[in-house]
Amino acid sequence: MQIMKQAAWVALAAVLATTPAISHAETKAQKEKRLHWWTDARLGMFIHWGVYSVPAGEWNGNTGYGEWIRESAHIPVQTYEKFRDQFNPVKFNADSWVKMAHDAGMKYIVITTKHHDGFDMFRTKQNTDWNIGATPYKKDVMTQMAAACKKYGLKMCWYHSIMDWHNPDYFPRRTWEAANRPPTQTDLAKFNDYLHKQVTELLTNYGPIGLMWFDGQWESSWNDKYGQELYDLCRKLQPNVIVNNRVGATGKIGDYSTPEQYIPPTGIPGVDWETCMTMNDNWGYNSHDKNFKSSETLIRNIVDIASKGGNYLLNIGPRSDGTFPPESVQRLKDIGKWMGTNGDSIYDTKASVFTNLTWGKSTTRREGGKTMLYLHVFNWPSNGKLVVPGLGNTPRYANLLSTGKRLKVKKTESDVIITLPKTAPDKICTTVALEVNGAPIVYEAPKIEALSDMLVTSVPVTLESGSKDMQVRYTTDGTSPNTKSTLYTKPFDVTETTTVTAASFYKGRRVSAGVVKTFTKTTPWPANGVFVGLRPALRYIEYKGSFEKLPDFDTLRGGGDLVTTDSIEIPMNGGVPAENVARRYMGPFTVPDDAVYVFSLTSDDGSKLWIDGKLVIDNDGLHASTTKTGAVPLAKGVHNIDLGWFNGTGGSALSLSHAKLGEGNQPIKWFHLGQK
């Protein structure tokens, strides 16, 4: 994955987001010590700044561009180089920038030393005519930032792109500029040497650096061997430096994972991670982009991420004169006001011990024989009672973090109940500090699991207890379980539309909230009519073009010939077909029985699956190989598939499989026209 164009990423590729990274040879304790400042920090500032701020998102009358403007607008390198002479940030003040980050409660800053356009925001000996020293401004931005971070006690960190659209030795080149910049005269070994020398400068000339944030590693020329060498260089030059997992091609090298533009629904258990996110839609400055997230959204994102054990790296795109957009400045002030009151509930905390809180989020801090639970209330209870579900500990006290005012707290059989003021002191998020004796004991609600919440004939249902010491009781009539409800002992079948409600019981008393899941009996989609002809049914048309999302195939012209095939499958990183291509597959297939069928669609980049004209799976967008599933009820017989897929640059993958509910994956049986 990459810091991409504005349409771009709502999710990081699964391998980058969830794969534990392989770090330099060290014990777990040594790594935890090295990362300690960062895992305690929870909040950092990302800064995307370069010559792309000069056009401010606009080119030839179009206004949807950001830091990818050279690639997105197909600007020739000689034309793009003219931005260098227009880049003169006379209003840049590193002290002001870092103070804004400090006052917002941020503990580290990651700034672009070089983005994909290859322009260096520091004075490098490796590239004397395409760096900040060659601009009218001339001064080294990174020297000033490092000094200001030292003054305010923030960690200075570097972003550095592996991909480089300017360096003559980097490949692959952009396909649209092949005529003017032929890809034959490139030398990746020479570029790799250049890259190492620049990283050496960054880790030698500016004092202690907190972390190296690499990016642009997804193109086919980069691999894990190069990534490991680069990681080792960083750790050799500064043994305590932290390196993200985009240093290698697969996400397996580095110290932490990097979900982009989204917050993992349950965090990434067992893995250190950091969500990077824009304030508006762009990373670099776009004067037309006013779609800023509200202060409420940003503050609640901070809380949500901390409650899942992650860090939040929040981006600013400065203007070409060296100032922050006023919308960003205001949001930083709002964040700082909230963090000034509630920072103790974010810094140096661990993830929530609860899996589901209806009113907000929580973070945790152990202190000797006690535990502090910080309860972040988004939805103020109308009855004034804050219910902390399934907490087995004896509470010591509760208070409002903002004022220290003590609150009445009561332990019930299954919950802790805190009496709140009538109105929320902070409408965005009020924090209640609840201290309890000992390590947290939480009686988890059970899980209701099934292959689908739809059924045609029946679906097996499994109830999973939150602990082996607890029993699960359930009902199927919509009532809340009690000690007389059915005791769960084994999976059971649901054959009609049914609402299952389950709760956990411990030593004869209910200790959890109820969980509810409704299973709906549905009529299968009818099979299609008779087909005529004697040719194989599955066919596709291929289109060339630069795509960021799936095109509307009905409007495309100039596609290739209609190709007959036996399967929908392109091996991951198989090199076939070429980059910048889209395909539309269409054809009838058969299913043997009336049943619910689960389809699995894997693609790199985006894809969508329609069955009988209805969208079943949306796996669109630029991303690495990602699998999504969809369940549909189908009647026995013939149905139609319409599948769209595209690949931008880098590796490619596409596969489709299906399974009858309760059975394993099976190859799709393509119906040949003329067969019955």
Side-chain angles (χ1 to χ4, degrees):
M1 294 286 278
Q2 60 263 46
I3 299 293
M4 280 292 302
K5 309 163 193 156
Q6 296 4 293
W9 301 100
V10 294
L12 186 66
V15 65
L16 285 176
T18 61
T19 304
I22 301 170
S23 62
H24 206 65
E26 61 187 342
T27 66
K28 180 180 179 181
Q30 287 171 330
K31 181 182 177 182
E32 288 178 350
K33 182 178 179 180
R34 179 165 58 91
L35 268 64
H36 184 73
W37 73 263
W38 179 78
T39 54
D40 282 1
R42 291 300 180 217
L43 182 60
M45 178 183 285
F46 214 175
I47 301 175
H48 274 67
W49 196 34
V51 295
Y52 42 79
S53 62
V54 172
E58 183 172 351
W59 186 252
N60 287 339
N62 296 314
T63 59
Y65 304 116
E67 71 293 336
W68 273 69
I69 189 170
R70 181 169 117 69
E71 161 75 351
S72 302
H74 293 183
I75 303 175
V77 65
Q78 296 86 354
T79 303
Y80 191 78
E81 285 177 341
K82 295 178 181 178
F83 293 144
R84 173 194 58 199
D85 300 329
Q86 302 172 52
F87 188 60
N88 188 19
V90 293
K91 295 182 180 180
F92 167 63
N93 186 309
D95 192 278
S96 173
W97 282 19
V98 176
K99 187 176 187 301
M100 278 191 281
H102 172 272
D103 292 350
M106 293 164 166
K107 298 296 185 180
Y108 59 107
I109 292 177
V110 181
I111 186 171
T112 49
T113 58
K114 182 191 77 169
H115 203 260
H116 309 325
D117 62 359
F119 183 81
D120 297 302
M121 292 293 290
F122 64 107
R123 301 192 66 160
T124 171
K125 295 180 180 179
Q126 314 310 316
N127 177 20
T128 57
D129 62 348
W130 190 236
N131 73 62
I132 191 71
T135 69
Y137 183 71
K138 298 187 182 302
K139 291 178 282 188
D140 192 321
V141 166
M142 302 309 148
T143 298
Q144 300 172 70
M145 289 295 295
C149 278
K150 183 177 180 180
K151 174 181 175 180
Y152 287 100
L154 274 70
K155 290 283 187 178
M156 186 74 262
C157 309
W158 303 141
Y159 167 108
H160 199 73
S161 174
I162 293 168
M163 183 165 64
D164 193 317
W165 302 332
H166 188 271
N167 189 291
D169 292 309
Y170 178 81
F171 72 89
R173 292 271 176 85
R174 306 305 98 189
T175 56
W176 54 267
E177 63 175 353
N180 297 320
R181 298 186 79 206
T184 53
Q185 298 178 6
T186 57
D187 187 337
L188 193 63
K190 188 176 178 181
F191 171 78
N192 208 18
D193 179 66
Y194 167 86
L195 175 63
H196 278 230
K197 287 178 178 177
Q198 286 208 317
V199 169
T200 298
E201 289 177 325
L202 290 169
L203 292 176
T204 303
N205 298 339
Y206 300 93
I209 300 302
L211 66 85
M212 289 295 297
W213 213 105
F214 289 105
D215 193 25
Q217 79 300 338
W218 61 88
E219 295 198 300
S220 56
S221 54
W222 196 251
N223 58 43
D224 275 358
K225 176 180 178 294
Y226 294 140
Q228 188 65 57
E229 291 170 351
L230 190 55
Y231 180 92
D232 290 342
L233 174 67
C234 294
R235 295 292 308 283
K236 177 183 178 181
L237 294 170
Q238 292 204 24
N240 290 323
V241 74
I242 300 169
V243 182
N244 74 340
N245 73 331
R246 302 192 189 192
V247 66
T250 64
K252 296 181 180 180
I253 300 169
D255 297 316
Y256 69 91
S257 294
T258 51
E260 181 176 325
Q261 294 286 47
Y262 86 113
I263 302 171
T266 58
I268 311 177
V271 177
D272 294 310
W273 61 277
E274 170 194 72
T275 283
C276 57
M277 188 177 289
T278 53
M279 272 196 183
N280 49 357
D281 291 334
N282 290 262
W283 297 94
Y285 178 62
N286 182 328
S287 62
H288 302 273
D289 181 5
K290 302 299 181 181
N291 189 32
F292 282 84
K293 299 174 183 67
S294 67
S295 296
E296 175 180 295
T297 294
L298 297 175
I299 290 168
R300 290 188 176 186
N301 282 350
I302 294 170
V303 173
D304 187 18
I305 290 168
S307 78
K308 295 169 181 174
N311 280 24
Y312 195 25
L313 187 60
L314 183 59
N315 184 74
I316 306 288
R319 296 180 289 202
S320 63
D321 65 358
T323 60
F324 283 178
E327 298 92 341
S328 298
V329 173
Q330 183 58 54
R331 281 155 180 77
L332 290 175
K333 289 180 179 178
D334 293 341
I335 290 170
K337 181 180 179 181
W338 188 88
M339 290 292 291
T341 299
N342 299 276
D344 283 349
S345 69
I346 302 297
Y347 305 128
D348 192 22
T349 60
K350 303 301 181 184
S352 175
V353 295
F354 305 98
T355 57
N356 183 32
L357 296 172
T358 59
W359 38 259
K361 305 291 179 179
S362 78
T363 53
T364 311
R365 180 181 291 120
R366 289 293 310 279
E367 298 176 344
K370 303 170 292 184
T371 298
M372 183 66 78
L373 301 172
Y374 294 104
L375 312 176
H376 300 95
V377 187
F378 298 166
N379 306 312
W380 202 251
S382 58
N383 64 358
K385 305 296 182 183
L386 185 69
V387 179
V388 187
L391 184 61
N393 301 77
T394 300
R396 294 171 58 87
Y397 68 87
N399 64 263
L400 293 174
L401 190 60
S402 59
T403 64
K405 179 182 177 181
R406 288 296 174 103
L407 303 171
K408 182 180 179 181
V409 57
K410 176 184 177 183
K411 181 76 171 70
T412 68
E413 281 193 344
S414 60
D415 307 318
V416 168
I417 300 175
I418 302 170
T419 302
L420 300 177
K422 290 183 179 181
T423 59
D426 189 324
K427 292 182 179 180
I428 290 178
C429 177
T430 296
T431 306
V432 174
L434 171 64
E435 187 173 271
V436 299
N437 287 322
I441 302 170
V442 178
Y443 299 116
E444 293 287 354
K447 296 179 181 178
I448 304 175
E449 298 183 339
L451 296 172
S452 172
D453 58 5
M454 290 187 299
L455 62 138
V456 171
T457 55
S458 67
V459 60
V461 177
T462 300
L463 306 183
E464 182 180 323
S465 171
S467 167
K468 65 180 181 179
D469 298 323
M470 290 187 285
Q471 295 179 327
V472 177
R473 294 184 178 273
Y474 69 96
T475 64
T476 56
D477 59 2
T479 61
S480 183
N482 56 39
T483 55
K484 295 182 180 180
S485 300
T486 304
L487 177 66
Y488 175 78
T489 57
K490 61 181 180 180
F492 57 93
D493 288 335
V494 169
T495 59
E496 300 292 340
T497 296
T498 304
T499 297
V500 177
T501 308
S504 297
F505 290 76
Y506 182 69
K507 294 183 178 180
R509 63 185 178 90
R510 179 169 163 172
V511 293
S512 83
V515 290
V516 181
K517 191 176 185 67
T518 298
F519 298 91
T520 304
K521 189 169 186 177
T522 186
T523 301
W525 298 356
N528 292 311
V530 177
F531 290 84
V532 295
L534 295 173
R535 61 190 183 280
L538 180 61
R539 293 167 291 170
Y540 71 84
I541 300 176
E542 185 168 291
Y543 300 85
K544 299 294 184 181
S546 179
F547 306 104
E548 296 179 27
K549 62 181 180 179
L550 204 66
D552 181 351
F553 287 100
D554 290 333
T555 65
L556 290 185
R557 297 291 184 269
D561 296 333
L562 195 64
V563 179
T564 298
T565 183
D566 292 325
S567 66
I568 298 176
E569 185 171 11
I570 295 170
M572 182 176 179
N573 296 320
V576 178
E579 297 177 335
N580 298 308
V581 66
R583 285 183 179 180
R584 183 182 189 179
Y585 291 83
M586 293 181 291
F589 71 103
T590 59
V591 296
D593 302 295
D594 290 3
V596 173
Y597 292 85
V598 180
F599 288 79
S600 297
L601 177 60
T602 300
S603 68
D604 175 359
D605 286 292
S607 60
K608 288 185 179 182
L609 172 67
W610 292 265
I611 295 177
D612 297 338
K614 300 175 183 177
L615 182 63
V616 174
I617 301 175
D618 186 344
N619 198 6
D620 202 3
L622 292 159
H623 55 74
S625 183
T626 303
T627 300
K628 290 190 177 181
T629 62
V632 289
L634 300 178
K636 176 182 178 180
V638 179
H639 297 267
N640 288 331
I641 272 183
D642 187 348
L643 186 147
W645 166 83
F646 81 94
N647 182 47
T649 60
S652 59
L654 177 66
S655 65
L656 178 68
S657 63
H658 81 317
K660 181 180 175 182
L661 195 64
E663 299 181 359
N665 278 341
Q666 298 291 329
I668 294 174
K669 296 181 179 180
W670 298 107
F671 182 80
H672 282 56
L673 301 186
Q675 292 182 352
K676 296 182 180 180

